[in-house]
Amino acid sequence: MIEVKSLEKIFGDKQALHDVSFQVKKGETFGFLGPSGSGKTTTIKILTGQMRQSSGTANVFGVPVSKLNTPEYRKRFGVVTDNSGLYARLTIYDNLKLYADLYGTSLQRIDEALESVNLGSEKKTQVAKLSKGMTQRVLLARTLLHKPELLFLDEPTSALDPANSKHIHNGLKELNRQGTTIFLTTHDMEEADHLCSQVAFLNKGVVQLLDEPKQLKKQYREEIIGIELKDGRELELPLKASSAEEIQQYISREMVERIYTKEPTLGDIFVEVTGRELV
Amino acid sequence: MTFSVKRFMAIFQKDLKDLYRNLYVSSTALMPLVFAVIYSRVGEVPLAMYLFVITLSLALVGTFLQCAIIAEEKEKNTLRGLMLSPATLTEILAGKSAVTIVITIIVTAVSMFIMGFSFDGRGWLIAGILLSLIFFIALGTWMGLITRSVLEASVYILPVMFIFGMANMFIGLADQFSFLQVLEYTPGIQLEEIANLGESGAGFDELWKPFAIIGAWVAATLVLAAVTFKKRMMD
Ligand SMILES: Nc1ncnc2c1ncn2[C@@H]1O[C@H](COP(=O)(O)OP(=O)(O)OP(=O)(O)O)[C@@H](O)[C@H]1O
Ligand SMILES: [Mg+2]
């Protein structure tokens, strides 16, 4: 679906992307993670034909991104960026109707798309009166109208409360199940962990790590067993045969409150790999 | 190059709906009607006054409206979304131009109706107005492509108003200020010329000249708009 090799983008004297390479296969939900200013939006802009790269190759649907500017290709993908706009004086419905007409989809899709972002009852509301999170959901609904094969989302849930984030996450998972490939950027490691089949860590314009979240967590897992005892003590023992006897003793003496392994979060791994906080 | 009538109509309908709720821009576009009402109270007015209101309509609606609705799409980040949809810039601009053309014709026709001016037997004038309309819309399109907000558009429209929209009024001062004589060549004055020649029953041997001058303006602004358009398609 997406193939990116040695992508570089230079703005004047500022280099936003140094050497970005990755692949996204059909059916994946690919998470592009990185702190502010790391080049996530720049990458999306290049991949969607809004900006030209300085060097390197970027192919989407097997063709160079410079060839994507035709109505036929544009019908195959959808984009929500952080600075997408809606027509404030029009209603939610009229905003979506414009896009339904532009994409040539049935008007029935408007209701379905609004339902999937939990806005089914707000059709007639003027966009100017919406909160930031609602606006973001309308934008998402707008890109779902034509059921794109490939969906680019630039921080889709950054303005949403947990309940609505969860709703959107479920919607995205369903969409992915139906075959849409999703490329999403986020700061939110839990979101990435929850949704993505692959994640790439972007730092200062370089992809520093790329793998499945599960693999990453396994690889960076600390080989430690934690034990919380009923008397309040907390112990950390190495995950080795030599610990077995000690642990068995605590259990047989009924001293144990809880036993756990130490799973790193993607955020922890990011800090370890890049030496930077993901803010 | 594909052109989809369906997408063109979608943009046209959206812009019409949006304009209906856009008080600032639509009230500006209705200004010529205010002048029409005032002049209709004056009683007998010279032909030049009708041409003044017609030219004002062309500039305020044709140019300002076109410029403002393009600029607003950029200001509110909605143009980006359209450009990522299957709609092409040609379809987008065509849809907007259609809205502007319809409103310009309505405002011009209504203001002439208010002033009791009849287009009967003035085929040349109608042809001249339609030709000038292309100039004013091309000018508005070009300005829309180079301005980034409605506020900026409102500032840029001022010189256009004075030079092209009100030439028919300022030309009266040309005796005192000789530099104003350049206004002779504006489409507004050429329209007045066409109206006068038509009134006196002149033929095309005399009428070709004002048409040629307006035609030159049309050609120049079309080229300007097309070059800017090409540049914008690139980035
Ligand atoms: N049009 C531009 N002109 C100049 N510099 C730019 C431009 N767009 C982005 N940059 C720079 O490129 C770098 C990467 O920006 P980008 O917007 O891609 O980051 P990001 O990862 O999306 O950040 P955020 O999480 O804050 O959205 C930044 O240093 C930014 O200042
Ligand atoms: Mg960004």
Side-chain angles (χ1 to χ4, degrees):
Chain A
M1 246 320 114
I2 306 178
E3 287 151 12
V4 173
K5 219 184 221 160
S6 314
L7 202 62
E8 204 178 26
K9 178 70 192 179
I10 298 164
F11 292 111
D13 58 354
K14 195 167 190 181
Q15 186 151 11
L17 301 179
H18 284 266
D19 179 13
V20 173
S21 302
F22 61 86
Q23 280 195 11
V24 179
K25 293 196 202 69
K26 194 168 162 43
E28 272 181 355
T29 297
F30 189 92
F32 211 49
L33 315 179
S36 186
S38 57
K40 301 184 296 293
T41 302
T42 304
T43 306
I44 286 201
K45 282 191 173 168
I46 292 172
L47 290 177
T48 53
Q50 301 179 63
M51 197 184 259
R52 292 280 161 86
Q53 68 264 42
S54 305
S55 70
T57 55
N59 291 355
V60 174
F61 302 129
V63 297
V65 285
S66 58
K67 299 233 166 77
L68 283 184
N69 288 338
T70 67
E72 288 67 39
Y73 279 120
R74 294 220 199 101
K75 277 185 186 173
R76 296 175 59 186
F77 68 84
V79 194
V80 185
T81 58
D82 45 7
N83 63 358
S84 306
L86 293 166
Y87 299 100
R89 287 182 291 265
L90 299 183
T91 61
I92 292 180
Y93 183 85
D94 283 339
N95 269 276
L96 294 199
K97 173 156 188 317
L98 168 66
Y99 277 75
D101 289 343
L102 291 178
Y103 281 101
T105 62
S106 72
L107 295 183
Q108 189 196 332
R109 282 292 302 150
I110 298 176
D111 294 317
E112 292 170 13
L114 283 176
E115 213 51 63
S116 72
V117 295
N118 220 1
L119 282 175
S121 56
E122 302 278 350
K123 269 197 333 196
K124 299 258 162 63
T125 312
Q126 203 188 6
V127 164
K129 301 195 174 92
L130 301 180
S131 69
K132 197 155 179 265
M134 286 164 97
T135 307
Q136 205 166 7
R137 284 185 282 152
V138 177
L139 283 168
L140 190 59
R142 196 177 80 180
T143 55
L144 298 182
L145 286 172
H146 64 296
K147 296 194 172 165
E149 280 171 58
L150 175 60
L151 189 57
F152 292 96
L153 301 173
D154 200 356
E155 302 184 21
T157 54
S158 60
L160 300 186
D161 58 67
N164 274 309
S165 291
K166 190 153 180 254
H167 194 84
I168 298 285
H169 288 165
N170 291 337
L172 291 178
K173 278 182 153 175
E174 178 55 32
L175 201 68
N176 182 246
R177 244 196 310 278
Q178 289 171 16
T180 299
T181 307
I182 300 174
F183 180 96
L184 74 93
T185 74
T186 182
H187 298 152
D188 182 346
M189 287 296 149
E190 267 181 60
E191 172 169 285
D193 198 2
H194 186 61
L195 291 176
C196 299
S197 50
Q198 289 277 323
V199 292
F201 286 176
L202 187 70
N203 186 29
K204 295 181 180 155
V206 182
V207 173
Q208 297 203 326
L209 198 64
L210 197 167
D211 212 333
E212 294 171 28
K214 217 167 40 186
Q215 287 299 328
L216 285 177
K217 282 192 287 189
K218 205 148 117 193
Q219 192 181 333
Y220 286 85
R221 186 166 61 200
E222 288 180 70
E223 305 278 291
I224 278 174
I225 292 178
I227 302 176
E228 203 180 311
L229 298 177
K230 284 188 173 147
D231 61 11
R233 276 188 297 159
E234 276 200 50
L235 307 169
E236 286 185 352
L237 301 171
L239 184 59
K240 286 195 183 123
S242 57
S243 309
E245 199 178 322
E246 195 177 343
I247 295 171
Q248 198 210 334
Q249 286 204 358
Y250 288 126
I251 296 174
S252 52
R253 283 190 232 147
E254 293 187 355
M255 289 171 71
V256 176
E257 182 74 37
R258 157 175 105 90
I259 297 183
Y260 54 92
T261 53
K262 277 198 126 183
E263 283 259 307
T265 63
L266 286 181
D268 297 335
I269 300 172
F270 191 91
V271 174
E272 189 164 335
V273 172
T274 65
R276 270 179 88 176
E277 283 291 340
L278 203 96
V279 196
Chain B
M1 198 80 226
T2 52
F3 186 90
S4 154
V5 175
K6 191 161 187 245
R7 294 197 289 262
F8 159 79
M9 282 307 294
I11 304 275
F12 175 78
Q13 285 169 4
K14 183 275 291 176
D15 271 321
L16 213 51
K17 244 185 252 168
D18 196 38
L19 186 64
Y20 178 69
R21 296 179 178 84
N22 186 349
L23 270 183
Y24 174 63
V25 171
S26 56
S27 62
T28 308
L30 294 180
M31 277 290 288
L33 296 179
V34 176
F35 280 88
V37 169
I38 293 170
Y39 286 130
S40 71
R41 297 282 164 89
V42 172
E44 195 76 357
V45 290
L47 188 60
M49 266 6 278
Y50 297 110
L51 268 301
F52 166 69
V53 175
I54 290 175
T55 313
L56 192 69
S57 312
L58 290 172
L60 266 185
V61 192
T63 305
F64 176 67
L65 179 66
Q66 177 79 349
C67 172
I69 60 181
I70 296 173
E72 189 176 30
E73 295 262 11
K74 288 197 261 178
E75 181 180 348
K76 303 278 166 63
N77 283 319
T78 47
L79 187 61
R80 170 149 290 142
L82 289 181
M83 296 291 289
L84 284 166
S85 84
T88 63
L89 190 51
T90 314
E91 288 158 3
I92 296 167
L93 292 181
K96 292 188 178 306
S97 303
V99 169
T100 308
I101 290 169
V102 169
I103 311 268
T104 312
I105 291 176
I106 292 175
V107 168
T108 309
V110 171
S111 54
M112 286 305 103
F113 177 77
I114 294 173
M115 290 173 78
F117 181 84
S118 166
F119 283 100
D120 274 354
R122 296 187 202 261
W124 288 117
L125 180 60
I126 293 175
I129 290 173
L130 292 179
L131 188 62
S132 306
L133 182 55
I134 302 175
F135 159 76
F136 282 103
I137 286 182
L139 183 63
T141 305
W142 173 66
M143 287 171 54
L145 290 171
I146 59 166
T147 52
R148 277 158 306 182
S149 67
V150 177
L151 189 65
E152 219 177 274
S154 316
V155 174
Y156 283 28
I157 193 68
L158 291 176
V160 172
M161 277 305 302
F162 286 124
I163 296 169
F164 294 106
M166 299 184 155
N168 303 56
M169 195 155 89
F170 289 132
I171 198 73
L173 303 172
D175 291 343
Q176 285 137 312
F177 307 98
S178 54
F179 70 91
L180 286 175
Q181 265 156 16
V182 293
L183 293 178
E184 285 285 352
Y185 295 98
T186 59
I189 303 295
Q190 296 305 316
L191 277 180
E192 199 175 319
E193 182 80 7
I194 291 171
N196 283 323
L197 287 171
E199 200 91 320
S200 64
F204 194 69
D205 54 328
E206 284 178 85
L207 276 160
W208 72 269
K209 202 176 152 204
F211 273 102
I213 294 176
I214 298 174
W217 281 108
V218 170
T221 42
L222 279 181
V223 168
L224 195 60
V227 168
T228 313
F229 173 92
K230 279 252 165 64
K231 263 207 203 124
R232 272 215 53 113
M233 294 273 281
M234 286 301 150
D235 57 44

